[in-house]
Amino acid sequence: MSEEISNLTPDTIDRLEAGVAPALALLAGMDLDVFSLLANGPRSAAMLATDLGLDEDRLSRLLYALVLTNLLTYENGHFANSPEAAAFLVKGSPRYIGGGHELRREIWEADLKTAESIRRGAPAALHDFAEMDEASLTAFLRGMIPFAMATGRALGKQFDFSSVGSIVDVGGGSGAALAGLMEQHATMRGTLFELPSVAKATAALLDDFPCRDRIAIETGDITAAPLKGKHDAALLRALVQVLAPEDAAKAIRHAVAGLRPGGHIYITGSGILNDDRLSPPAGVYLNVTLMNFYPSGRSYTTSEHVDWLKAAGCADPVQMTVRGGSAVIRATKT
């Protein structure tokens, strides 16, 4: 054994393992809604345990761990939210993202099955939207709302939608991306296109959005047939990545067929890879997660998206990064 090898230490391994416990502490704090209870000021472990109806000793262990994550502070026997926790993890806060913890749990549980998925040659945590019961589907869609809403708002700020009278969100799930975009455009009308089974769960979630009266629901399978109407813009968020290559090409072609000439299609999500397939990191890691959920879902490269868009009759594809880190590819129907 060389001296170089004998002097090695497992620093990378230790760092990766050390990151697991803080993330799980965050998830537990979100599950228990500890951060919302601290919105009005510092509380002792005993006070929090009483409010939550929990054992003080067990809860205090989590609270001390959350102090180490820098999400809570501890002083004079009382716990309080950090500024970041107060901004993002308190229910009712304008920037609340805590609703996504249901989705995070599902993703992390699926990631634990990665080796099993590889051994099977099939997803070990299969996600079939057509077969999911309504409660599970609703929980999944609700978990997507914070991320989808943020994407819609970011798109509205980064691109000019002032001339868009009608936009369709293909595979839009909860409709939150559509709502986030439409809240910036009072006259814009939207259509949420989804599978019939998903649309049933979506209808109740849409009622929480102020622009609900401007959103119509259309059902169908975008891989099987084009949209019924014509729109000025189409949004495909986190859709292409759940499909097999041949179905991804069909979905894009059918979505473009629903655009008026000169209309724009926006494809966005974490599952867009640079052509080296090694970046961005979120897309690389999502590529692993997707194999646990979908038989053929995967992160696709920019070049693959561009080829599908050109084959569908689009020109001038451009790729950008919106606030929050998601890539977006925009192209124009010729």
Side-chain angles (χ1 to χ4, degrees), residues 7-326:
N7 289 333
L8 276 176
T9 56
D11 295 339
T12 299
I13 297 169
D14 289 344
R15 175 176 53 81
L16 292 171
E17 290 181 344
V20 174
L24 295 179
L26 164 64
L27 184 62
M30 294 164 73
D31 278 343
L32 296 172
D33 204 20
V34 167
F35 309 103
S36 295
L37 285 176
L38 290 171
N40 294 323
R43 312 287 295 278
S44 67
M47 296 165 68
L48 288 169
T50 298
D51 289 341
L52 291 168
L54 301 173
D55 177 75
E56 179 185 348
D57 174 68
R58 291 178 179 274
L59 178 61
S60 67
R61 300 185 206 182
L62 173 63
L63 297 175
Y64 288 120
L66 289 171
V67 172
L68 292 187
T69 68
N70 294 318
L71 291 172
L72 294 185
T73 62
Y74 181 67
E75 187 175 356
N76 297 325
H78 286 69
F79 297 90
N81 284 329
S82 69
E84 185 173 339
F88 297 106
L89 298 177
V90 173
K91 284 183 178 177
S93 167
R95 304 177 74 185
Y96 177 64
I97 62 172
H101 70 284
E102 294 173 317
L103 175 62
R104 287 188 181 90
R105 180 190 297 104
E106 190 163 358
I107 289 174
W108 292 348
E109 288 177 349
D111 283 341
L112 290 172
K113 300 178 180 179
T114 296
E116 184 180 350
S117 293
I118 293 173
R119 290 191 185 102
R120 286 187 186 183
L126 180 64
H127 233 168
D128 187 338
F129 292 108
E131 297 297 328
M132 291 173 69
D133 63 80
E134 188 169 349
S136 298
L137 182 55
T138 300
F140 178 81
L141 294 177
R142 188 184 298 111
M144 292 288 290
I145 287 177
F147 311 105
M149 181 71 75
T151 297
R153 289 170 174 164
L155 287 172
K157 292 177 180 177
Q158 195 146 338
F159 296 95
D160 182 7
F161 287 87
S162 59
S163 62
V164 174
S166 172
I167 183 170
V168 59
D169 186 356
V170 181
S174 67
L178 197 59
L181 174 59
M182 291 176 63
E183 70 181 15
Q184 303 172 52
H185 300 278
T187 62
M188 182 186 290
R189 303 198 68 83
T191 297
L192 181 67
F193 184 91
E194 260 298 359
L195 296 168
S197 57
V198 178
K200 183 178 179 182
T202 293
L205 297 175
L206 282 178
D207 290 339
D208 293 333
F209 303 133
C211 57
R212 173 65 182 93
D213 61 334
R214 293 187 282 129
I215 298 178
I217 298 177
E218 180 182 335
T219 60
D221 181 349
I222 196 63
T223 66
L227 304 167
K228 295 176 182 177
K230 296 292 184 181
H231 303 273
D232 301 313
L235 172 63
L236 278 66
R237 178 193 171 276
L239 172 67
V240 174
Q241 64 200 35
V242 309
L243 303 172
E246 59 273 18
D247 286 333
K250 291 177 185 176
I252 291 173
R253 184 171 71 248
H254 292 156
V256 171
L259 289 175
R260 299 182 178 94
H264 293 123
I265 181 172
Y266 299 82
I267 301 175
T268 183
S270 299
I272 299 178
L273 291 172
N274 293 329
D275 289 344
D276 62 5
R277 296 188 181 275
L278 289 171
S279 57
V284 177
Y285 291 125
L286 180 64
N287 208 12
V288 175
T289 299
L290 290 169
M291 82 168 99
N292 296 315
F293 280 139
Y294 306 107
S296 301
R298 65 197 69 185
S299 296
Y300 292 106
T301 66
T302 298
S303 292
E304 288 172 310
H305 283 87
V306 168
D307 288 344
W308 291 327
L309 286 164
K310 288 182 176 179
C314 287
D316 304 321
V318 294
Q319 180 171 334
M320 302 175 67
T321 300
V322 296
R323 182 178 178 182
S326 291

